[in-house]
Amino acid sequence: MKEPNVMVIPYRKDHLTSGYDGHTGRPRPLLRFAGDAQGNRWSGAVADIDLDLECVASFLALCEDGHFGHAATRLHLTSPALTKRIQRLERQIGCTLLERNHAGTTSLTAAGWRFATDAAELLEHARAAQVAARAAAQLSPRATIRIGVPGRLGVGSMMSMLADAIRGLKARSPDITLRCLGVPYSDMPGALVDRHVDLMWSPSGVRHRLLVSEPLGSFSRVGVVPLSHPFAHTATVDVKDFARLPLLYNPAVSPAYMVQGWLGDVRPIEEAELVASSAQGDVALQHDILRGRGMAVLPMLPGMAAGAGLATVALLGAPPTEWHAVYRSSDAQKAIADVVQLLMEVTAGLKDGETTAALMPRRQP
């Protein structure tokens, strides 16, 4: 029976192993640290940090089971072998982590409690590093590039716009396959950092130490209103007049993305009448407009796809929106470069037809 102060921590045996050694039957360690945070090995009076993550994983398994025999069975070890791992870990850390009674049950020391809390997070980071490294290795030379599109919907129209360009890309780079994925507004740029997508077609540049933003071209902005609104029956509206309307914004989205949506570059934010919306995609945003909660300001590209009951009007005097290709700096390779070039070509082609479209109000009865 576990003693009262044994910490129970969820444990997965694959946290730090890459399978079991065929000769010894023991799990193979995924990673071992030796050196400082910059990767420099220490020598001289300062000893190496030799933290064996295989021993850390075994320690957490023991925390969960509270018994040497049970934990050893789960780890495919003998009790003496598990004892040696724990002793090795204690030597590496420099303090006693747990106490064992004659029946084989364990209780954590104060140091053991503290280490167990941090060790669980350490294993999660190690696992994430393994997954990220494998994903990066698979990106080249044969690659499926996942392009993130702002909003949960609009992916079908995106693929339609890219159809001709994709065929041209296939001829130039037959090893590249493209997929478009809708990304909730509040997940940008997290979808890139967390590797849910490989590249984002973004209506704004992103400042992040792990990401690179390359400008693709600019689009004008449009206003989206319900058909019942007086502006729905005009071709163009002065942006200062539109800025007086209640405008929808999502407080969960980075201001870098939202500032152009609330026309923060046209008049001070203090003068804006902002209406909070939880919309994470096109349909939810359109629904809020139809309900009369507020209007929306969008780049021309998504704005021209206004839904039923809505009208799109050109905003005279509104500075253009600069679209970017955003990707991880660690993925700066030919496959990504080819797709960035593709998006530049598509953006230029769409912009060529923008002037004519901007002079015509778009209505969806």
Side-chain angles (χ1 to χ4, degrees), residues 125-136:
H125 281 302
R127 181 64 176 174
Q130 180 192 47
V131 171
R134 289 176 176 174

Side-chain angles (χ1 to χ4, degrees), residues 226 228 246 248 275 286-295:
S228 58
L248 295 169
V275 180
Q286 292 164 6
H287 183 64
D288 278 350
I289 299 172
L290 288 171
R291 289 170 56 199
R293 298 197 62 223
M295 316 306 163

Side-chain angles (χ1 to χ4, degrees), residues 116-129:
T117 302
D118 294 335
E121 185 177 357
L122 171 64
L123 296 193
E124 289 298 335
H125 281 302
R127 181 64 176 174

Side-chain angles (χ1 to χ4, degrees), residues 240-303:
K240 293 182 179 179
D241 293 332
F242 202 90
R244 297 189 183 98
L245 301 178
L247 298 178
L248 295 169
Y249 86 107
N250 189 327
V253 179
S254 168
Y257 289 104
M258 289 304 308
V259 65
Q260 295 187 8
W262 63 49
L263 296 175
D265 53 350
V266 174
R267 46 91 177 94
I269 187 64
E270 295 78 11
E271 298 177 7
E273 182 182 349
L274 301 181
V275 180
S277 167
S278 60
Q280 293 282 11
D282 303 340
V283 169
L285 181 62
Q286 292 164 6
H287 183 64
D288 278 350
I289 299 172
L290 288 171
R291 289 170 56 199
R293 298 197 62 223
M295 316 306 163
V297 176
L298 299 172
M300 174 66 74
L301 189 57

Side-chain angles (χ1 to χ4, degrees), residues 13-331:
K13 68 182 179 183
D14 64 342
H15 267 144
L16 295 177
T17 63
S18 55
Y20 288 88
D21 189 287
H23 299 290
T24 66
R26 298 173 60 189
R28 293 192 294 269
L30 168 68
L31 183 63
R32 179 176 295 171
F33 294 118
D36 63 12
Q38 287 71 44
N40 301 313
R41 294 191 63 84
W42 292 327
S43 60
V46 182
D48 283 358
I49 292 179
D50 186 11
L51 185 59
D52 192 331
L53 299 188
E54 182 181 65
C55 294
V56 177
S58 299
F59 169 72
L60 289 182
L62 185 55
C63 288
E64 182 177 345
D65 286 329
H67 190 280
F68 266 85
H70 299 163
T73 298
R74 179 143 65 98
L75 294 171
H76 306 281
L77 297 172
T78 63
S79 290
L82 177 57
T83 298
K84 290 181 179 179
R85 286 193 184 179
I86 301 304
Q87 290 172 342
R88 171 174 168 77
L89 181 62
E90 289 177 329
R91 288 195 302 272
Q92 292 171 341
I93 295 174
C95 59
T96 300
L97 299 176
L98 53 82
E99 297 174 350
R100 174 182 182 178
N101 64 21
H102 65 280
T105 58
T106 62
S107 60
L108 293 175
T109 64
W113 274 93
R114 176 64 189 185
F115 181 73
T117 302
D118 294 335
E121 185 177 357
L122 171 64
L123 296 193
E124 289 298 335
H125 281 302
R127 181 64 176 174
Q130 180 192 47
V131 171
R134 289 176 176 174
Q138 293 172 358
L139 195 58
S140 177
R142 303 188 64 87
T144 296
I145 306 298
R146 300 162 299 173
I147 301 177
V149 183
R152 285 197 172 110
L153 300 179
V155 176
S157 58
M158 168 80 167
M159 291 301 291
S160 177
M161 289 186 291
L162 289 176
D164 290 340
I166 289 175
R167 283 191 285 271
L169 178 67
K170 276 291 185 186
R172 303 195 304 259
S173 306
D175 290 332
I176 299 178
T177 300
L178 295 184
R179 290 178 58 204
C180 289
L181 303 175
V183 177
Y185 298 140
S186 61
D187 283 356
M188 305 182 296
L192 274 169
V193 176
D194 295 337
R195 296 186 173 271
H196 299 311
V197 296
D198 302 303
L199 186 148
M200 183 73 70
W201 200 7
S202 170
S204 174
V206 176
R207 290 186 178 181
H208 192 286
R209 64 184 181 83
L210 300 178
L211 304 178
V212 175
S213 293
E214 289 196 29
L216 299 173
S218 60
F219 287 101
S220 60
R221 277 176 282 175
V222 297
V224 182
V225 299
L227 288 178
S228 58
H229 195 278
F231 286 169
H233 307 287
T234 61
T236 59
V237 176
D238 189 283
V239 67
K240 293 182 179 179
D241 293 332
F242 202 90
R244 297 189 183 98
L245 301 178
L247 298 178
L248 295 169
Y249 86 107
N250 189 327
V253 179
S254 168
Y257 289 104
M258 289 304 308
V259 65
Q260 295 187 8
W262 63 49
L263 296 175
D265 53 350
V266 174
R267 46 91 177 94
I269 187 64
E270 295 78 11
E271 298 177 7
E273 182 182 349
L274 301 181
V275 180
S277 167
S278 60
Q280 293 282 11
D282 303 340
V283 169
L285 181 62
Q286 292 164 6
H287 183 64
D288 278 350
I289 299 172
L290 288 171
R291 289 170 56 199
R293 298 197 62 223
M295 316 306 163
V297 176
L298 299 172
M300 174 66 74
L301 189 57
M304 296 304 288
L310 300 175
T312 300
V313 294
L315 298 179
L316 293 180
T321 296
E322 185 79 25
W323 281 70
H324 288 73
V326 186
Y327 55 90
R328 293 178 292 274
S329 57
S330 59
D331 292 343

